[in-house]
Amino acid sequence: MSPRLMLVTAGRVLRQVRHDRRTLALLIVVPCVLMGLLAWIYADTPVFDSIGAPLLGMFPFLVMFLVTSIATLRERQSGTLERLLTLPLAKADLVGGYAIAFGALATVQALVAGTFAVYALGLDVAGQDWLLIVVAVVDALLGTALGLFLSAFAATEFQAVQFLPAFVLPQFLLCGLLVPRDRLPDVLHWASDVLPLSYAVDAMRTITVDASAGADVAKDVAVILGFVLVLVGLGAATLRRRTD
Amino acid sequence: MLKNPPVGQPAIRVEGLRVVRGGRTVIPGLSLEVPHGQVVGLLGPSGCGKSTLMRSIVGVQKVAGGVVEVLGLPAGTEPLRHRIGYLTQAPSVYTDLTVRENLAYFAAVVGTPRSGIAHEVTWVVDMVDLGSHVDASVGALSGGQLSRVSLAAALVGAPDVLVLDEPTVGLDPVLRRDLWAIFRRLAADGATLLVSSHVMDEAVRCDRLLLMREGEFLADDTLAGVLASTGAADAEQAFLALVDQARDRAAAGGTTTSEVSS
């Protein structure tokens, strides 16, 4: 493993995105538009203030999951992955490079969406505003890590795109947004305990209702970061130099 | 650039290589030795196992049996990755980056120090004659230019062994001649090249030919040797004659020609 090669790889991935202006614009603008739409739907009701924060965590997660899945799949299909695997690049350098590059994009995206939600849309939570943004960044990182790991199992674009309904929507159903997790049937409650998105929504809910819940939020953030590390590690471990 | 090849040790050694893909035996048992500095042409129709053999040599192919060594080390092992250049059959570069950005990235990956990257990029870009397109986006290049960018990416870091899968396919005759001149120059500098093609007339450019069909070598000789032994006028006719001979032998003896250079 070489930090230099990891950074060089991250630089290359960011350069690719920079050449794709429309993707860059979509990455930054879409979560803001969705938050704006949400605020508009619930105008003159208190609902936006109660579900705005959890969804602020959800949108960057979804977008980064998709973008990362497709980017790594493209690397594999273009033959560049096969070339890289014959070169002195550790698997961790490649996966780490992707994680750094998309992590940086995710950070910008979550910062912009969070700032927009709080200052332009007036999202009002009990806890500190900056905590919202921190959790949104961590959620976006989680999307990147999940995309990096799962795309290893997608052989085609069709499969990669369907991993969203297959692996992300169940987490959305169980994360406590539709029915609070403690009111789910036991089996589903246990399942939701091991799904990372549950912790993202828990953290955002805590910030929404509790003015002094820094410690609880920190615990959730630590769990999510743990998932990120494990998923990135698994992503590197499941990459095979030799294929059929 | 000559890196003192160890005396007596071949650049590439393959012994009893067996590859099974999707339940089908693609290579039943191949053996091969390539000495340093040789330009070896691997010729045969599409689907005969050329790419599979090359992937085994660069260490990205799962193999079912046998030994594959490059520069005395097991294929695909870490110390070899600085010393082997691999050109995949389909161009494998980033189409959304410029030529320079692509080559600078691959140069960094093979360990070129930061201060030497610009120089390395200029060197390979000149070699494949893409100097005027160095800041063009690769996606905007023609098919021939795209394959040259991919070739340039295999040449960064001046590897000791180059495994080139159909580097000249689809290129015009002038460009093909120029590329073969590059390959000869690299070999003169001490590199070892294994170059595949399904175009038999590339045979005249190689020091040695491996004619391959259905995962086996029909011949392993110089062009002159192949022509003399078959009485054919060119490589293509020689190949056809060898295929006929193998078929006759199989029909007569009921055995296949799997005992290759043992």
Side-chain angles (χ1 to χ4, degrees), chain A residues 207-226:
Chain A
I207 299 170
T208 303
V209 297
D210 195 339
S212 58
D216 280 355
V217 173
K219 236 181 278 171
D220 287 325
V221 165
V223 172
I224 300 168
L225 287 177

Side-chain angles (χ1 to χ4, degrees), chain B residues 127-180:
Chain B
M127 188 134 56
V128 298
D129 197 18
L130 276 173
S132 51
H133 291 82
V134 71
D135 288 310
S137 171
V138 168
L141 298 179
S142 73
Q145 290 165 336
L146 179 61
S147 2
R148 279 185 285 158
V149 180
S150 194
L151 175 63
L155 299 179
V156 291
D160 298 304
V161 175
L162 279 161
V163 177
L164 308 178
D165 200 351
E166 310 216 327
T168 60
V169 166
L171 299 186
D172 70 69
V174 179
L175 213 54
R176 274 169 57 192
R177 185 195 61 197
D178 293 350
L179 287 185
W180 277 101

Side-chain angles (χ1 to χ4, degrees), chain A residues 43-88:
Chain A
D44 307 321
T45 75
V47 179
F48 179 63
D49 282 338
S50 68
I51 66 164
L55 286 172
L56 175 65
M58 196 81 68
F59 296 143
F61 168 80
L62 281 178
V63 172
M64 292 316 294
F65 171 79
L66 269 182
V67 170
T68 313
S69 303
I70 298 294
T72 43
L73 187 69
R74 263 183 14 171
E75 179 93 56
R76 196 183 335 226
Q77 291 190 328
S78 66
T80 46
L81 179 63
E82 174 149 312
R83 189 201 285 277
L84 288 175
L85 291 178
T86 68
L87 299 177

Side-chain angles (χ1 to χ4, degrees), chain A residues 4-5 8-9 12 15-16 18-19 74-75 78-80 82-89 94 241-244, chain B residues 20-21 55 59-62 75 81-82 86 91-94 96-97 101 105-106 108-109 112 114 150 153-154:
Chain A
R4 182 192 170 213
L5 289 185
V8 164
T9 300
R12 184 264 295 172
R15 229 164 261 132
Q16 286 179 279
R18 200 188 62 197
H19 283 291
R74 263 183 14 171
E75 179 93 56
S78 66
T80 46
E82 174 149 312
R83 189 201 285 277
L84 288 175
L85 291 178
T86 68
L87 299 177
L89 184 75
L94 182 66
R241 279 192 197 268
R242 286 182 185 270
T243 51
D244 227 357
Chain B
V20 180
R21 294 179 76 179
R55 294 184 76 236
V60 294
Q61 174 70 52
K62 265 188 204 153
R81 296 191 201 126
H82 293 270
Y86 173 42
S92 51
V93 282
Y94 301 100
D96 42 9
L97 294 181
E101 288 168 336
Y105 175 60
F106 288 113
V109 169
T112 313
R114 196 189 302 268
S150 194

Side-chain angles (χ1 to χ4, degrees), chain A residues 177-193:
Chain A
L177 210 56
L178 301 183
V179 175
R181 293 205 295 130
D182 50 17
R183 278 195 265 144
L184 287 169
D186 280 348
V187 176
L188 295 183
H189 189 189
W190 298 330
S192 77
D193 279 344

